[in-house]
Amino acid sequence: MQQMYDVHPNAKIGENVTISNFTTIGDDVVIGDGTWIGPNVTIFPGARIGKNCKIFPGAVIAAVPQDLKFAGEVSYVEVGDNTVIRECVTIHRGTAASGKYLTKVGSGCLLMAYVHIAHDCVVGDNCILASYTGLAGEVVLDDMANLGGVVLIHQFCHIGSYTMLGGGNTVTKDVPPFVLASRNPVVFEGVNIVGMRRKGFSNETIEEVRDIYRLIYRGGM
């Protein structure tokens, strides 16, 4: 069967990469070994995709940012290994104004359908972002953060490791590690005990985190 896709001759494609029909890969793109790219994907210049990723139809990676300060500077999107990018996810390049020139998604992440990651965001390893969740510019998600569907994160917010954010919430402030957060606007509702147990934290460590949480958020401080 004849393959119908457009790969720029300067793109660097690793071994055993699958590129499906009607996909476009631009100049200055690097795709790691074993990555699968579905149909109708667009990967713009400046993308760096790791090994063994899966990119589903309609995804757009490394488009220019929706930031009026962007002036056409060279910038990048970096995606780690073993990350799954589902249908119609958008990940935009970094900017000079931030000083980063880079939007980064770590390894082992799952970005469900219609997730948006704006310019200069940093998403750690093994994060899960459910469908229709959006990160505004320069948001930081630490490793193992878990965001429910239709979560909106305001620019410059920092979400800690092992957090669990309930679906349909608007986050306009930093969220500390290990915390359960929900409602609109978001409030903290305790410690992510289930998530910590699933990741192998000892009971002693979990109790220590709970004591710290109580001290800070329920101790009148």
Side-chain angles (χ1 to χ4, degrees):
M1 179 178 177
Q2 182 181 4
Q3 296 295 321
M4 295 181 289
Y5 49 70
D6 182 10
V7 177
H8 194 281
N10 292 336
K12 298 179 180 178
I13 310 298
E15 297 181 358
N16 301 314
V17 171
T18 298
I19 303 172
S20 302
N21 288 337
F22 311 114
T23 282
T24 300
I25 297 176
D27 189 10
D28 191 25
V29 169
V30 179
I31 308 292
D33 298 345
T35 286
W36 177 86
I37 304 171
N40 297 294
V41 172
T42 304
I43 302 178
F44 284 100
R48 306 288 186 265
I49 312 295
K51 298 178 181 179
N52 301 313
C53 293
K54 290 182 172 58
I55 305 173
F56 282 73
V60 178
I61 300 174
V64 298
Q66 299 173 136
D67 184 341
L68 296 178
K69 299 184 296 297
F70 181 75
E73 61 266 23
V74 176
S75 58
Y76 301 93
V77 163
E78 180 180 307
V79 177
D81 300 333
N82 303 301
T83 283
V84 176
I85 298 172
R86 292 302 305 247
E87 296 84 355
C88 300
V89 168
T90 53
I91 307 174
H92 289 176
R93 283 163 42 194
T95 65
S98 72
K100 300 175 183 176
Y101 297 88
L102 176 67
T103 302
K104 184 175 181 180
V105 177
S107 296
C109 293
L110 171 57
L111 311 181
M112 298 186 194
Y114 293 94
V115 163
H116 174 65
I117 298 177
H119 64 90
D120 303 294
C121 288
V122 178
V123 176
D125 295 337
N126 300 302
C127 292
I128 299 174
L129 282 66
S131 295
Y132 299 98
T133 284
L135 310 185
E138 301 190 53
V139 166
V140 176
L141 295 187
D142 290 338
D143 297 347
M144 305 287 182
N146 192 331
L147 277 57
V150 202
V151 171
L152 305 178
I153 310 290
H154 193 273
Q155 58 260 38
F156 303 109
C157 287
H158 190 154
I159 311 300
S161 295
Y162 299 96
T163 48
M164 176 68 192
L165 273 61
N169 295 303
T170 300
V171 180
T172 60
K173 60 184 178 181
D174 294 348
V175 178
F178 306 110
V179 162
L180 293 172
S182 65
R183 305 187 191 180
N184 199 355
V186 75
V187 295
F188 306 149
E189 296 191 325
V191 174
N192 185 15
I193 296 172
V194 173
M196 294 179 72
R197 285 176 176 161
R198 287 175 177 171
K199 297 300 180 182
F201 284 85
S202 68
N203 289 333
E204 291 78 11
T205 298
I206 292 171
E207 283 304 313
E208 184 177 5
V209 170
R210 293 180 74 181
D211 288 343
I212 294 168
Y213 179 88
R214 293 188 192 104
L215 179 66
I216 295 173
Y217 294 105
R218 296 180 182 172
M221 299 181 66

Short mmCIF file of all heavy atoms in Angstrom, two decimals, residues 32-57:
data_model
loop_
_atom_site.label_atom_id
_atom_site.label_comp_id
_atom_site.label_asym_id
_atom_site.label_seq_id
_atom_site.Cartn_x
_atom_site.Cartn_y
_atom_site.Cartn_z
N GLY A 32 12.25 9.66 18.19
CA GLY A 32 13.02 8.56 18.74
C GLY A 32 12.57 7.20 18.24
O GLY A 32 11.48 7.03 17.69
N ASP A 33 13.43 6.21 18.46
CA ASP A 33 13.18 4.84 17.99
C ASP A 33 11.85 4.30 18.53
O ASP A 33 11.49 4.53 19.69
CB ASP A 33 14.30 3.90 18.45
CG ASP A 33 15.66 4.27 17.89
OD1 ASP A 33 15.72 5.06 16.93
OD2 ASP A 33 16.66 3.75 18.42
N GLY A 34 11.17 3.54 17.69
CA GLY A 34 10.01 2.79 18.14
C GLY A 34 8.74 3.59 18.34
O GLY A 34 7.73 3.04 18.79
N THR A 35 8.76 4.87 18.01
CA THR A 35 7.57 5.70 18.21
C THR A 35 6.55 5.43 17.12
O THR A 35 6.90 5.25 15.95
CB THR A 35 7.97 7.18 18.26
OG1 THR A 35 8.60 7.45 19.52
CG2 THR A 35 6.78 8.11 18.11
N TRP A 36 5.29 5.41 17.51
CA TRP A 36 4.18 5.22 16.58
C TRP A 36 3.43 6.53 16.43
O TRP A 36 3.03 7.14 17.44
CB TRP A 36 3.23 4.14 17.09
CG TRP A 36 2.02 3.94 16.23
CD1 TRP A 36 1.92 3.14 15.13
CD2 TRP A 36 0.73 4.54 16.41
NE1 TRP A 36 0.64 3.21 14.60
CE2 TRP A 36 -0.10 4.07 15.37
CE3 TRP A 36 0.20 5.45 17.34
CZ2 TRP A 36 -1.44 4.46 15.25
CZ3 TRP A 36 -1.12 5.85 17.22
CH2 TRP A 36 -1.92 5.35 16.18
N ILE A 37 3.24 6.97 15.19
CA ILE A 37 2.55 8.22 14.90
C ILE A 37 1.34 7.89 14.02
O ILE A 37 1.50 7.40 12.90
CB ILE A 37 3.48 9.23 14.21
CG1 ILE A 37 4.72 9.47 15.06
CG2 ILE A 37 2.74 10.54 13.94
CD1 ILE A 37 5.79 10.28 14.37
N GLY A 38 0.16 8.16 14.52
CA GLY A 38 -1.07 7.85 13.81
C GLY A 38 -1.34 8.80 12.65
O GLY A 38 -0.55 9.71 12.36
N PRO A 39 -2.46 8.62 11.98
CA PRO A 39 -2.80 9.48 10.84
C PRO A 39 -3.19 10.89 11.28
O PRO A 39 -3.63 11.11 12.41
CB PRO A 39 -3.98 8.76 10.20
CG PRO A 39 -4.58 7.95 11.29
CD PRO A 39 -3.45 7.55 12.18
N ASN A 40 -3.00 11.84 10.34
CA ASN A 40 -3.46 13.22 10.53
C ASN A 40 -2.81 13.89 11.74
O ASN A 40 -3.43 14.74 12.39
CB ASN A 40 -4.98 13.28 10.65
CG ASN A 40 -5.67 12.81 9.39
OD1 ASN A 40 -5.58 13.44 8.34
ND2 ASN A 40 -6.33 11.66 9.47
N VAL A 41 -1.58 13.54 12.03
CA VAL A 41 -0.80 14.22 13.06
C VAL A 41 0.05 15.29 12.39
O VAL A 41 0.57 15.09 11.30
CB VAL A 41 0.09 13.21 13.82
CG1 VAL A 41 1.06 13.92 14.76
CG2 VAL A 41 -0.78 12.22 14.59
N THR A 42 0.23 16.44 13.08
CA THR A 42 1.10 17.50 12.58
C THR A 42 2.18 17.78 13.61
O THR A 42 1.87 18.12 14.76
CB THR A 42 0.31 18.79 12.30
OG1 THR A 42 -0.75 18.50 11.39
CG2 THR A 42 1.21 19.85 11.70
N ILE A 43 3.44 17.61 13.20
CA ILE A 43 4.57 17.87 14.09
C ILE A 43 5.41 18.97 13.44
O ILE A 43 6.04 18.76 12.40
CB ILE A 43 5.39 16.59 14.32
CG1 ILE A 43 4.49 15.50 14.91
CG2 ILE A 43 6.56 16.88 15.26
CD1 ILE A 43 5.19 14.18 15.13
N PHE A 44 5.40 20.14 14.05
CA PHE A 44 6.06 21.31 13.49
C PHE A 44 7.55 21.34 13.86
O PHE A 44 8.01 20.60 14.74
CB PHE A 44 5.38 22.58 14.00
CG PHE A 44 4.06 22.87 13.36
CD1 PHE A 44 2.87 22.56 14.00
CD2 PHE A 44 4.00 23.49 12.12
CE1 PHE A 44 1.65 22.84 13.42
CE2 PHE A 44 2.79 23.78 11.52
CZ PHE A 44 1.61 23.46 12.16
N PRO A 45 8.33 22.22 13.19
CA PRO A 45 9.75 22.35 13.51
C PRO A 45 9.98 22.65 14.99
O PRO A 45 9.22 23.40 15.61
CB PRO A 45 10.20 23.53 12.63
CG PRO A 45 9.29 23.48 11.45
CD PRO A 45 7.97 23.05 12.01
N GLY A 46 11.04 22.06 15.52
CA GLY A 46 11.39 22.27 16.92
C GLY A 46 10.92 21.18 17.84
O GLY A 46 11.18 21.24 19.05
N ALA A 47 10.25 20.16 17.33
CA ALA A 47 9.79 19.05 18.18
C ALA A 47 10.90 18.03 18.40
O ALA A 47 11.62 17.67 17.47
CB ALA A 47 8.58 18.37 17.56
N ARG A 48 10.99 17.56 19.62
CA ARG A 48 11.91 16.49 20.00
C ARG A 48 11.09 15.41 20.71
O ARG A 48 10.70 15.59 21.86
CB ARG A 48 13.02 17.01 20.93
CG ARG A 48 13.79 18.22 20.38
CD ARG A 48 14.70 17.79 19.25
NE ARG A 48 15.57 18.87 18.79
CZ ARG A 48 15.31 19.67 17.76
NH1 ARG A 48 14.18 19.50 17.08
NH2 ARG A 48 16.14 20.61 17.39
N ILE A 49 10.82 14.33 20.01
CA ILE A 49 9.97 13.27 20.54
C ILE A 49 10.84 12.08 20.92
O ILE A 49 11.69 11.65 20.15
CB ILE A 49 8.92 12.82 19.49
CG1 ILE A 49 8.22 14.02 18.86
CG2 ILE A 49 7.94 11.84 20.10
CD1 ILE A 49 7.38 14.82 19.78
N GLY A 50 10.61 11.53 22.11
CA GLY A 50 11.44 10.44 22.61
C GLY A 50 11.11 9.09 21.99
O GLY A 50 10.40 8.98 20.99
N LYS A 51 11.61 8.05 22.62
CA LYS A 51 11.46 6.69 22.14
C LYS A 51 10.13 6.09 22.61
O LYS A 51 9.64 6.38 23.70
CB LYS A 51 12.61 5.82 22.65
CG LYS A 51 13.99 6.27 22.17
CD LYS A 51 15.08 5.39 22.76
CE LYS A 51 16.46 5.83 22.30
NZ LYS A 51 17.53 5.00 22.90
N ASN A 52 9.59 5.21 21.76
CA ASN A 52 8.43 4.38 22.10
C ASN A 52 7.22 5.20 22.55
O ASN A 52 6.44 4.76 23.42
CB ASN A 52 8.81 3.37 23.19
CG ASN A 52 9.94 2.46 22.75
OD1 ASN A 52 9.91 1.91 21.65
ND2 ASN A 52 10.96 2.32 23.58
N CYS A 53 7.07 6.37 21.97
CA CYS A 53 5.87 7.17 22.23
C CYS A 53 4.75 6.73 21.29
O CYS A 53 5.00 6.09 20.27
CB CYS A 53 6.16 8.66 22.03
SG CYS A 53 7.31 9.35 23.24
N LYS A 54 3.53 7.09 21.64
CA LYS A 54 2.37 6.86 20.79
C LYS A 54 1.63 8.18 20.63
O LYS A 54 1.24 8.80 21.63
CB LYS A 54 1.46 5.79 21.37
CG LYS A 54 2.05 4.39 21.34
CD LYS A 54 1.08 3.35 21.88
CE LYS A 54 1.58 1.92 21.66
NZ LYS A 54 2.88 1.67 22.28
N ILE A 55 1.44 8.59 19.37
CA ILE A 55 0.82 9.88 19.09
C ILE A 55 -0.40 9.62 18.21
O ILE A 55 -0.27 9.14 17.08
CB ILE A 55 1.81 10.83 18.40
CG1 ILE A 55 3.08 10.98 19.25
CG2 ILE A 55 1.17 12.19 18.15
CD1 ILE A 55 4.18 11.77 18.59
N PHE A 56 -1.58 9.93 18.71
CA PHE A 56 -2.83 9.55 18.07
C PHE A 56 -3.32 10.62 17.11
O PHE A 56 -2.83 11.74 17.10
CB PHE A 56 -3.87 9.23 19.15
CG PHE A 56 -3.68 7.87 19.78
CD1 PHE A 56 -2.64 7.64 20.67
CD2 PHE A 56 -4.53 6.82 19.45
CE1 PHE A 56 -2.45 6.39 21.24
CE2 PHE A 56 -4.35 5.57 20.02
CZ PHE A 56 -3.31 5.34 20.91
N PRO A 57 -4.32 10.27 16.27
CA PRO A 57 -4.76 11.18 15.21
C PRO A 57 -5.17 12.56 15.70
O PRO A 57 -5.77 12.72 16.77
CB PRO A 57 -5.98 10.44 14.61
CG PRO A 57 -5.70 9.00 14.86
CD PRO A 57 -5.02 8.97 16.19
#
